Amino acid sequence: MTTDTPPTGSSPLRDSARRTLQLEQQAIAALIERLDEDFDRACELILACPGRVVVTGMGKSGHVAGKVAATLASTGTPAFFVHPGEASHGDLGMITPGDVVLALSNSGETAEVTALLPLLKRMGTPLISMTGRPGSTLARHADAHLDAGVEREACPLDLAPTSSTTAALALGDALAVALLESRGFTAEDFARSHPGGSLGKRLLLRVADLMHQGSRLPSVPLGSPLRDALLEITRQGLGFTCVVDDDGRLSGVYTDGDLRRTLDQHSNLTDLKVDDVMTRPGKRVNAEILAAEAVRIMEDNRITALAVVDDDGRPVGALHMHDLLASGVI
């Protein structure tokens, strides 16, 4: 992100940090121009894979590989990390012919990784490499090569993996997101692998889990005096009431906002029926939709409560913004 306003303040430490961030930003930007048919081929190999993506790498590349494996696994692509050194001493048994191997090595010559090449070829396991050198051993023997090369490291000695690991991490994210979109991966799919914490609550909770029902459902019959609707709103404390017809179906809702409009438009409330001033047909949701979707509906319509109806349009519950706040959904 660029800005016309120069950074305020300066010190040798901050100047060093800015140079690092600028170099890493440039390294990521350079990746865009180098995306080619090999990226498509890598995605196709993974999408056609009946097994899992086995991600491997040594040293700093190994740390990046672990994160890439975790990102793939959480976005719909089964994946896990295998240490290349351990693979040569028994862990190769974790890799099957139905898997795809994604190997990371900035030089493309890491001995522990290249040692796996004959074994992978013998098993017929497809290999995707991510290196900084397209002419390297690992790149040349791969079925698809992802070029994560950088002009220089952010380290002033041009030695410590900095820009190169940032570029590899970003390219791994790009691969995961491309696969996610190709699979049509949804928020609900994402929730299945993230059931814990506030993220899980936001994605897994449904309206049925939070709504008020039974005796806590505010409701008055169509044709009721406005006074009865106001008493019901006060009694239930949800800021609205459902208005139902003779068959129990939702005809409309009457809310605190409707009351303000009623007071503005009518000087005498005594003879008013709720039918005369209610909102028709009223916003409503199904009990099975995600609570996060109910939040979006409330925000889009600038309301704080929703009627929850069944497939026949009969109210089965009421949902208030306070319930969503208390549950951690927002």
Side-chain angles (χ1 to χ4, degrees), residues 133-271:
R133 295 174 55 203
S136 64
T137 300
L138 191 58
R140 288 186 288 105
H141 287 85
D143 297 283
H145 174 250
L146 303 179
D147 185 355
V150 299
E151 185 174 339
R152 61 163 296 169
E153 299 288 1
C155 164
L157 303 176
D158 197 22
L159 294 174
T162 44
S163 298
S164 59
T165 50
T166 299
L169 192 61
L171 192 52
D173 286 343
L175 181 65
V177 172
L179 293 167
L180 177 155
E181 293 183 347
S182 181
R183 295 181 193 279
F185 196 74
T186 66
E188 190 167 355
D189 294 325
F190 192 80
R192 293 193 184 100
S193 57
H194 297 76
S198 60
L199 179 62
K201 287 182 180 179
R202 185 169 67 84
L203 294 175
L204 284 173
L205 281 178
R206 298 183 181 276
V207 167
D209 300 319
L210 302 175
M211 68 184 187
H212 300 269
Q213 52 190 317
S215 62
R216 291 286 290 122
L217 170 62
S219 178
V220 296
L222 200 63
S224 297
L226 180 58
R227 179 178 180 278
D228 290 355
L230 296 177
L231 289 173
E232 182 69 355
I233 292 173
T234 302
R235 185 173 70 88
Q236 300 291 9
L238 296 178
F240 87 110
T241 184
C242 298
V243 182
V244 299
D245 63 18
D246 292 340
D247 293 322
R249 293 186 174 87
L250 185 68
S251 292
V253 297
Y254 192 73
T255 69
D256 288 342
D258 290 324
L259 174 58
R260 287 190 289 273
R261 286 185 287 275
T262 301
L263 293 171
D264 185 54
Q265 297 169 7
H266 298 270
S267 57
N268 184 4
L269 308 184
T270 305
D271 298 325

Side-chain angles (χ1 to χ4, degrees), residues 264-311:
D264 185 54
Q265 297 169 7
H266 298 270
S267 57
N268 184 4
L269 308 184
T270 305
D271 298 325
L272 284 177
K273 303 291 186 184
V274 70
D275 317 32
D276 303 325
V277 289
M278 71 181 185
T279 297
R280 299 174 184 265
K283 294 297 176 184
R284 59 193 70 194
V285 295
N286 186 275
E288 293 307 308
I289 73 166
L290 291 173
E293 177 65 10
V295 172
R296 185 193 63 78
I297 293 171
M298 288 185 187
E299 290 176 342
D300 288 349
N301 292 278
R302 297 183 179 181
I303 56 178
T304 58
L306 283 168
V308 184
V309 299
D310 62 17
D311 293 339

